[in-house]
Amino acid sequence: SVLKNLSKRIDDESTQQQICNFLNRADSAQLRSYASMAGMDLPAGAADRIASVATKVTPGGIKKGVKWSKRAIKAATVMRKTAKVIGKYRHLIVLAAILGWIKSAVLRPIKISKKAAAKAAAAAAKAAVETAKAAATSAAAGGVVAASASVGSIDAAAAAMRGASDASATEATTAVADADAEAEAEAI
């Protein structure tokens, strides 16, 4: 309440004019006498510098100083309250930050180069050929099982080739078709 009263008093223009008049009349001898009454020893050079600054004070300058000091006090109050809230809910803020980090890590798209996609397509085609050969060897026992295994391997190879380059996709398709032809020939 003392600060509020002081703030209201300083906002008054007549008070600002009184402060300005007092400071403008101050000289180094007067400042040194005030300092000695307070029990301080003020050197003459320091008193001269203070007096030169005091004579330049205007009511407009006082008004600006009051305005900026009020803003600084308001900012300090808001920061103190913010720090209090952050301290109270610190664990929830950390949890939210961790969850956001995990979400971004999980949903981040994985970039695959064309070279890696071509290798994956070639490996899938090779696996399809081996599956077709295995189905063809078991075709002697039952022809229906071999045909369904061959179709499944073609589907797997086709899915792997979707991300591959055109040249490797053509090679993989040719390899799968050759394996299927061999499987059918052995089944007959």
Side-chain angles (χ1 to χ4, degrees):
S1 69
V2 173
L3 289 176
K4 285 183 181 178
N5 289 337
L6 182 63
S7 167
K8 287 178 185 176
R9 184 110 170 139
I10 290 178
D11 279 340
D12 186 29
E13 287 187 24
S14 62
T15 307
Q16 291 175 359
Q17 189 62 42
Q18 287 176 349
I19 292 171
C20 186
N21 290 338
F22 176 77
L23 290 175
N24 286 336
R25 284 190 301 232
D27 61 348
S28 62
Q30 191 177 15
L31 291 174
R32 288 184 71 185
S33 67
Y34 289 147
S36 65
M37 283 190 279
M40 295 172 38
D41 184 31
L42 187 63
D48 288 337
R49 283 191 301 250
I50 293 171
S52 69
V53 169
T55 56
K56 295 176 185 173
V57 173
T58 62
I62 293 173
K63 189 180 279 188
K64 279 184 183 179
V66 169
K67 182 174 71 172
W68 283 106
S69 59
K70 280 185 178 180
R71 286 182 182 176
I73 290 169
K74 183 75 171 176
T77 305
V78 168
M79 287 182 2
R80 189 175 348 117
K81 287 180 181 178
T82 304
K84 193 174 184 182
V85 169
I86 288 173
K88 187 174 182 181
Y89 297 107
R90 174 180 49 234
H91 58 285
L92 294 176
I93 294 169
V94 169
L95 179 66
I98 291 172
L99 290 176
W101 177 69
I102 290 171
K103 178 186 166 205
S104 70
V106 168
L107 297 179
R108 185 178 299 132
I110 299 172
K111 294 182 180 179
I112 300 175
S113 67
K114 289 183 179 182
K115 190 174 183 179
K119 281 185 180 181
K126 188 175 181 180
V129 168
E130 290 175 8
T131 304
K133 284 183 181 178
T137 57
S138 65
V144 176
V145 175
S148 65
S150 177
V151 170
S153 62
I154 290 174
D155 290 340
M161 285 187 284
R162 285 188 193 116
S165 65
D166 293 336
S168 62
T170 306
E171 292 171 9
T173 305
T174 306
V176 170
D178 292 343
D180 284 342
E182 288 177 17
E184 286 178 21
E186 289 178 11
I188 296 177

